[in-house]
Structure formats: C-alpha cells, structure tokens
Amino acid sequence: KHVISQNVDGMHRKSGIAQNLSELHGNTNLEVCTICGREYLRDYGVRVAQGTFEHRTGRFCCVPGCHGALKDSIVNFGENLPERSINGGYTNSMRSDLHIVLGSSLTVR
C-alpha cells in the first residue's frame, strides 16, 4: 500500500503512513535539513519566505555536528517535484494492481 498525495496539509503523514507516502507538492508542516536531510514534522506551518523560490525557515538542524539550515518542503509553481517523492510514486504505481484517485481534477487553473 502506498499513498501518492498532492495535498500539502500534512494529514496523510499525521495518519501514520509516513513510510508509504509520496507527498508530491510537499507538506506545510515539514522542514528538511539542507545538509543531512533530517526531517522535522511540526505542529504548525513552517513557511515564512515571501519569495516563490525562497525556502529557508530561519531554524537549524539539531543533529550533533550538522547545524544545517532548515527549509520548508513546499513545491511552488516553476519548481520540480521532489525526486524521492516522484520516484517513490512511479515505482509503487508500476507495482500496483489498483489505483484509487479521489478529490482531484489533476489540473491547475
């Protein structure tokens, strides 16, 4: 079982299926370290940047010896989808016997 989501509200991850999830457009509550890749799931929206391609949140990684800058995980218009999420989605789709698509026209207007 694998969930591929365009939602950015983090509800799929909070449901407990994080290890089987591809969040194609990111997550408003997820920060990622720019150095070690550690993920920080927050109880609040982490995006503070005003510019489209700005992603740093002003916080830093807690991993000893890392202290890398944290960035939000939101994918804005004009940015590529995250490689790990898109590859996970493709891989699991190819293995699937059934796809269920809910609540989306899969178009941007």
Side-chain angles (χ1 to χ4, degrees):
K1 297 175 185 174
H2 191 87
V3 174
I4 302 168
S5 176
Q6 295 184 96
N7 295 340
V8 297
D9 61 10
M11 297 310 289
H12 289 104
R13 187 177 290 253
K14 287 180 181 179
S15 75
I17 60 167
Q19 67 276 14
N20 298 317
L21 175 64
S22 294
E23 293 177 303
L24 298 182
H25 294 163
N27 182 324
T28 56
N29 295 24
L30 184 68
E31 292 176 289
V32 180
C33 177
T34 57
I35 295 176
C36 74
R38 178 170 177 181
E39 295 182 345
Y40 296 85
L41 185 61
R42 310 294 189 186
D43 289 333
Y44 52 87
V46 299
R47 182 148 175 84
V48 294
Q50 299 298 314
T52 302
F53 301 110
E54 297 172 21
H55 290 280
R56 290 186 183 221
T57 64
R59 287 176 286 276
F60 295 90
C61 185
C62 297
V63 171
C66 181
H67 202 63
L70 299 182
K71 64 176 185 166
D72 68 57
S73 63
I74 296 299
V75 178
N76 295 310
F77 289 103
E79 295 179 323
N80 292 327
L81 297 176
E83 217 172 296
R84 189 172 95 194
S85 290
I86 196 77
N87 289 340
Y90 278 133
T91 299
N92 284 282
S93 286
M94 300 282 282
R95 293 184 200 148
S96 179
D97 293 327
L98 174 68
H99 288 85
I100 300 172
V101 180
L102 301 171
S104 179
S105 63
L106 297 177
T107 61
V108 176
R109 295 174 193 219

